[in-house]
Amino acid sequence: MALHKIKTKERDELVGNIYGSRDFDRKVPKYKIPKEEMPADHAYALVHDMLMLDGNARLNLATFVGTWMEPEAKQLMSETFDKNMIDKDEYPQTAEMEMRCVNMLADLWHAPNSAETIGCSTTGSSEAAMLAGLAMKWRWRKRMQEQGKPTDKPNLVMGINVQICWEKFCRYWDIEPKQVPMESGRYCLDAEEAIKLCDENTIGIVGILGTTFTGEYEPIAKIDKELDKLNKKTLWQIPIHVDAASGGFIAPFLQPRLKWDFRLKWVKSINASGHKYGLVYPGVGWIVWRDKEELPEELIFRVNYLGGEMPTFALNFSRPGNQIVAQYYNFLRLGFEGYRRVQQVSQDVAKYLAKEIAAMNIFELLSDGSDIPVFCWKLKKEMSFTLFQLSDRLRYHGWQVPAYTLPENLTDITVMRVVVREGFTIELANLLLDDMKRAVHDLLKGDVDGGQKSGFHH
Ligand SMILES: *Cc1c(COP(=O)(O)O)cnc(C)c1O
């Protein structure tokens, strides 16, 4: 949903005869549906040209989302644009692919019995978070009702650094967010602080594998250990949900010995974004529960015209099926070893860039890409320019490298972050470094208004 305001004053502004093809000489209203038809090639040219000024996705180091797929994957996707995911009756093979992907992920994340798990695809990790959160809320409410206790004050424990989807979940479903703030030198959730915030109204703890602010892994195993003690003492049965939007497709390949997943007792559900390090174009996420009991029956709708057992649990109904096809393609095409290799390359580039940026001597790394291939840095000390200005300067060269402030209690710290994805090569990394060095040089000379005096470099 785009929440654009309707531009009433400009309603009738027209586009036309400056765009498109030579024989296109008609004006088209911008904010009203045109009265007449136009030939397909004209419409194509208009839309195509309008998109020209969108950014170049390969130079966007802000997003985590996949911007490159193989020609064969693209071909499969375009062959399957018309498949509606929800029509499992009509497209049983697409549904089968979804099930296989869920099982593969359950296995990858060490579910005790991957054939006994339950899970589904979603539009992304945000929808997955809503579903996981709802399951935790329902389970908590049932536990409380069984003990005759009130169920009007559920809360969710997490770090202040959670992705916005968790704040959304809390607001949309009336849950009190209980957030552990950051502290100097600690940019993610702390196990002891998290445990301190738990009470009998806690529906769960969210731990993040690869935080959006710094790319670090939160200490899931430590949280699990502390939570086990608390749950034993109180009989509260608080579960952990791991938001592994990025890390779910990194840790199994690059840090296989790290215990963050269903190997831990209280980890009951995990989400990941297929369209991040799952290497699929935008539009697919995954949620997997440890076992069937973790997903309350009441939340599952059964579509009776299928004959079989085809449960659905989703916020949307209709949804493109082709992203699931693409995810399944990637699993077959790359296999474990292929994923490992792709992610290793991204991590090597991230670590290299982090090292080189640290070597510029004016920056201090907060993370170095050794968890997910994401790292961030701040200015070592106050300088004559800000990271916002540096970010702006890089923008002139087409790079999108965001600068932002950290959340409480570190709102006075500004950082810059790079997300390395497949397709970001050492060559591109070196070009970025060159541009950064030049930008810093110019900024230090006091040239903050961007390239006017020194000219564009390329
Ligand atoms: C990206 C991200 C999300 C949201 O995922 P979408 O797939 O974009 O909906 C949630 N949590 C974390 C940690 C993320 O990195």
Side-chain angles (χ1 to χ4, degrees):
M1 171 179 55
L3 294 174
H4 299 304
K5 284 196 197 119
I6 293 176
K7 300 174 189 166
T8 37
K9 259 194 243 146
E10 297 165 76
R11 264 193 94 84
D12 296 322
E13 272 187 24
L14 303 169
V15 294
N17 70 11
I18 41 168
Y19 291 117
S21 62
R22 282 185 174 157
D23 60 346
F24 185 74
D25 61 355
R26 159 156 94 75
K27 298 204 171 194
V28 183
K30 258 194 200 171
Y31 300 111
K32 272 198 263 185
I33 295 177
K35 217 162 141 226
E36 310 284 349
E37 293 175 60
M38 71 173 81
D41 58 334
H42 288 170
Y44 177 85
L46 279 178
V47 176
H48 179 87
D49 285 5
M50 186 169 168
L51 293 172
M52 238 169 17
L53 286 179
D54 269 353
N56 177 344
R58 294 280 291 280
L59 300 183
N60 181 348
L61 301 177
T63 182
F64 287 74
V65 173
T67 45
W68 183 85
M69 285 195 85
E70 288 174 321
E72 287 80 1
K74 281 190 184 172
Q75 190 183 333
L76 271 173
M77 286 184 85
S78 56
E79 285 167 11
T80 49
F81 273 134
D82 56 343
K83 288 190 195 290
N84 185 356
M85 195 52 233
I86 198 72
D87 253 333
K88 297 182 180 185
D89 198 18
E90 186 172 353
Y91 306 115
Q93 294 300 87
T94 312
E96 172 66 17
M97 281 186 197
E98 184 191 26
M99 299 256 287
R100 287 185 192 180
C101 288
V102 167
N103 276 281
M104 286 175 180
L105 287 172
D107 182 60
L108 189 68
W109 298 334
H110 300 97
N113 183 352
S114 59
E116 278 300 302
T117 48
I118 189 163
C120 57
S121 66
T122 59
T123 50
S125 278
S126 302
E127 187 188 5
M130 303 297 143
L131 303 184
L134 282 172
M136 288 193 281
K137 183 179 180 183
W138 254 247
R139 300 238 335 142
W140 164 83
R141 193 165 54 195
K142 191 144 173 260
R143 284 198 299 275
M144 294 295 275
Q145 280 164 347
E146 279 166 6
Q147 300 166 51
K149 288 184 176 162
T151 58
D152 56 338
K153 285 200 175 63
N155 67 63
L156 183 65
V157 171
M158 55 193 145
I160 188 90
N161 52 300
V162 288
Q163 211 267 357
I164 186 134
C165 67
W166 293 103
E167 279 153 21
K168 265 191 197 170
F169 166 73
C170 287
R171 194 158 322 155
Y172 290 177
W173 273 278
D174 246 331
I175 313 267
E176 179 200 354
K178 286 190 155 191
Q179 296 184 297
V180 176
M182 283 185 179
E183 265 160 36
S184 184
R186 174 173 65 70
Y187 311 106
C188 47
L189 187 59
D190 174 79
E192 271 119 46
E193 296 298 317
I195 300 298
K196 271 190 226 158
L197 288 183
C198 290
D199 56 38
E200 68 175 346
N201 288 318
T202 301
I203 66 170
I205 300 179
V206 175
I208 310 173
L209 207 70
T211 79
T212 28
F213 286 94
T214 63
E216 291 168 289
Y217 291 158
E218 294 195 322
I220 316 286
K222 187 135 187 271
I223 296 170
D224 183 74
K225 195 168 150 226
E226 297 299 320
L227 186 61
D228 191 47
K229 288 186 215 157
L230 181 76
N231 278 338
K232 278 208 177 100
K233 199 169 77 190
T234 59
L235 303 177
W236 285 341
Q237 293 182 282
I238 298 173
I240 298 172
H241 171 82
V242 183
D243 177 356
S246 301
F249 282 102
I250 296 288
F253 305 109
L254 299 188
Q255 298 98 359
R257 281 200 295 274
L258 180 78
K259 286 192 183 153
W260 63 274
D261 51 16
F262 295 123
R263 280 169 288 182
L264 302 174
K265 181 174 170 190
W266 293 100
V267 172
K268 304 292 188 182
S269 47
I270 297 173
N271 71 272
S273 295
H275 56 217
K276 290 185 178 173
Y277 290 102
L279 309 176
V280 179
Y281 285 133
V284 64
W286 298 96
I287 169 78
V288 176
W289 284 271
R290 181 188 196 91
D291 50 51
K292 293 203 167 83
E293 283 83 78
E294 294 303 324
L295 178 56
E297 272 294 310
E298 309 92 279
L299 290 174
I300 304 173
F301 290 82
R302 287 175 204 283
V303 196
N304 64 6
Y305 50 78
L306 292 176
E309 272 267 289
M310 197 47 81
T312 115
F313 180 29
L315 300 184
N316 267 52
F317 193 67
S318 297
R319 180 155 62 81
N322 63 348
Q323 282 124 352
I324 284 122
V325 173
Q327 183 78 75
Y328 185 65
Y329 165 84
N330 270 353
F331 285 157
L332 291 191
R333 157 80 174 99
L334 290 170
F336 188 92
E337 193 43 36
Y339 265 99
R340 197 200 56 72
R341 191 180 48 74
V342 170
Q343 316 299 33
Q344 188 63 60
V345 171
S346 295
Q347 181 154 72
D348 290 347
V349 173
K351 282 181 163 173
Y352 165 75
L353 252 181
K355 192 170 97 279
E356 292 295 316
I357 286 171
M360 288 170 72
N361 270 326
I362 55 169
F363 302 119
E364 183 184 324
L365 296 177
L366 276 69
S367 54
D368 64 357
S370 56
D371 288 345
I372 58 174
V374 171
F375 64 96
C376 76
W377 65 92
K378 61 180 175 119
L379 284 170
K380 251 188 195 165
K381 57 179 177 36
E382 206 158 307
M383 309 279 287
S384 59
F385 67 91
T386 66
L387 290 183
F388 293 105
Q389 286 166 331
L390 178 57
S391 175
D392 243 16
R393 285 300 290 254
L394 290 174
R395 196 73 194 241
Y396 299 135
H397 302 294
W399 303 107
Q400 259 174 278
V401 186
Y404 50 91
T405 54
L406 293 179
E408 285 167 37
N409 296 326
L410 300 178
T411 46
D412 54 335
I413 298 182
T414 303
V415 299
M416 250 176 133
R417 183 194 67 192
V418 160
V419 177
V420 176
R421 307 185 306 279
E422 187 182 20
F424 192 69
T425 55
I426 286 278
E427 160 121 29
L428 282 170
N430 281 327
L431 288 173
L432 171 68
L433 279 171
D434 291 347
D435 282 337
M436 254 184 90
K437 285 175 189 164
R438 274 193 288 251
V440 167
H441 175 83
D442 290 350
L443 287 167
L444 284 175
K445 276 195 330 203
D447 178 12
V448 290
D449 58 352
Q452 258 81 350
K453 278 172 241 144
S454 56
F456 285 97
H457 297 291
H458 49 80

